[in-house]
Amino acid sequence: MPPRRRSHTQSRRKNNASMLSRLFKRLMQLLLVALATVVLIDGLYLASIWPDWEVLSQGPVPKSNFILRYEEQRKEDGKLPPLRWTPVALQRIAPMMGKAAIAAEDSRFYEHEGIDTEAIQEAMEKNLEKGKVVYGASTISQQTVKNMFLSGSRDYLRKWHELLLTWSMERNLSKPRILEIYLNVAEFGPGVYGVEAASHYYWNIPASALSYDQAVQLAACLPSPKKHNPKTNTRTFQRRVAKIARHLKAPETQASEAAVEPAPANPAEKPAVTPLVEPLPTDGVTPPVEPTPADAAPEPAAVDPAPDTPTPTPP
């Protein structure tokens, strides 16, 4: 090749390499700008929904995002069941209800800090065995965050927000407060939110009067409350009730509960419910009370009954 043609070819190659280098740098700059924009927008969104943990750490439990969304849906579709929701303090919920919910949804609730890495690993192994996503690993803390502040979408961005909020909540709220919020905003049936409304809806009793059987049945509602609950009494529901009852009676579960269960505010007070000692039968569940005409209207707010007036002793 003549020297002039070779020089021209080398020069063209250098120009092409230089152009590709400039193009690559330009693409990297655009990607960085796009990433910074996404981070900025996401940060602004998180700032707009970030809760005041000090306010949330005490007082009545506020309505969750899911409850607010249900109210909006019912405005558009009047055929939806009325909203039933009456928040109550943890002291007005039968102790067995909290134990049953933990056994059903998050057995290491008092041991982890919001994210259960062991449960995640177990779920991944089981899902790989099944070849599809069958088992989840969301803790009660994560479910509380999702119900209170986020949506039910399954995208990765929502999961990222859930992890950040869960991490922050665990460092600002006590475990009993997190459990109290969860039990007051979890869905237990069509339009039924919280254990107080659920207790009235299924058995016409307050949450403080829930028996062992009833607490286990409400805990069995949690994965799919509209389809599997004490009124539908499906086979899937019955199997889940039996499974939760077995788990509650496992020695390791009882030891864990004894180690972490907080003492009552007033030791002289008797518990609202005396838990049964026998597990539920595995071939069925206690049938719920048949719905009454009162089910057609929302449950009124819970009111503490007046104390019994003592009968005077005759002289």
Side-chain angles (χ1 to χ4, degrees):
M1 179 182 294
R4 185 174 300 178
R5 182 175 297 179
R6 181 181 303 169
S7 175
H8 178 71
T9 301
Q10 291 176 347
S11 175
R12 186 169 59 185
R13 288 177 179 173
K14 288 181 180 180
N15 289 336
N16 290 339
S18 177
M19 183 176 65
L20 289 174
S21 177
R22 290 195 300 270
L23 180 61
F24 178 76
K25 290 180 180 179
R26 181 59 177 168
L27 286 175
M28 290 301 297
Q29 290 174 351
L30 291 175
L31 286 174
L32 289 174
V33 170
L35 180 61
T37 302
V38 170
V39 171
L40 177 61
I41 294 174
D42 190 55
L44 292 173
Y45 171 74
L46 279 173
S48 69
I49 67 169
W50 202 262
D52 186 332
W53 297 119
E54 186 176 353
V55 172
L56 194 60
S57 67
Q58 56 191 338
V61 175
K63 289 182 178 179
S64 67
N65 259 12
F66 277 57
I67 294 175
L68 294 172
R69 190 174 298 111
Y70 185 82
E71 287 181 320
E72 293 299 321
Q73 291 173 348
R74 195 166 182 275
K75 288 179 182 178
E76 299 175 359
D77 184 0
K79 295 181 180 180
L80 289 175
L83 172 66
R84 292 174 172 86
W85 178 67
T86 306
V88 294
L90 189 62
Q91 291 76 14
R92 292 177 58 190
I93 299 174
M96 183 53 66
M97 183 65 242
K99 294 178 182 178
I102 290 171
E105 295 296 301
D106 186 2
S107 61
R108 286 184 284 266
F109 174 67
Y110 286 102
E111 301 171 23
H112 60 67
E113 296 183 354
I115 311 298
D116 190 345
T117 53
E118 290 184 39
I120 293 174
Q121 183 178 352
E122 291 171 4
M124 290 177 63
E125 291 174 356
K126 291 179 180 178
N127 290 333
L128 286 173
E129 290 177 5
K130 297 287 185 179
K132 58 181 179 179
V133 178
V134 178
Y135 299 93
S138 290
T139 63
I140 283 178
S141 300
Q142 289 175 267
Q143 294 179 46
T144 301
V145 160
K146 182 185 73 172
N147 289 340
M148 288 297 297
F149 314 116
L150 303 172
S151 68
S153 63
R154 297 177 178 272
D155 59 85
Y156 290 109
L157 189 60
R158 197 274 294 169
K159 200 67 178 178
W160 165 245
H161 296 158
E162 179 185 297
L163 293 175
L164 289 178
L165 286 163
T166 299
W167 179 87
S168 182
M169 183 178 71
E170 282 277 343
R171 279 149 185 78
N172 287 279
L173 303 186
S174 66
K175 287 288 189 178
R177 179 58 173 175
I178 293 172
L179 183 62
E180 178 181 47
I181 295 172
Y182 176 74
L183 293 176
N184 274 290
V185 300
E187 187 179 12
F188 290 94
V192 182
Y193 293 85
V195 293
E196 180 72 11
S199 302
H200 282 283
Y201 179 66
Y202 291 117
W203 299 289
N204 296 321
I205 60 172
S208 60
L210 285 168
S211 69
Y212 174 92
D213 292 35
Q214 293 163 340
V216 172
Q217 289 185 63
L218 287 186
C221 295
L222 292 169
S224 50
K226 294 177 182 176
K227 186 176 181 181
H228 306 297
N229 58 60
K231 285 189 175 181
T232 59
N233 198 22
T234 61
R235 291 290 297 276
T236 298
F237 176 75
Q238 294 177 16
R239 287 194 296 269
R240 185 162 172 79
V241 166
K243 181 178 180 181
I244 295 170
R246 288 194 301 270
H247 186 75
L248 279 170
K249 292 306 172 185
E252 60 272 17
T253 303
Q254 293 177 337
S256 176
E257 289 171 357
V260 299
E261 185 174 5
N266 183 0
E269 282 187 348
K270 294 182 179 180
V273 174
T274 303
L276 304 179
V277 294
E278 297 83 13
L280 288 171
T282 58
D283 57 347
V285 297
T286 302
V289 173
E290 290 297 322
T292 65
D295 288 337
E299 290 287 341
V303 179
D304 287 326
D308 295 331
T309 306
T311 305
T313 305

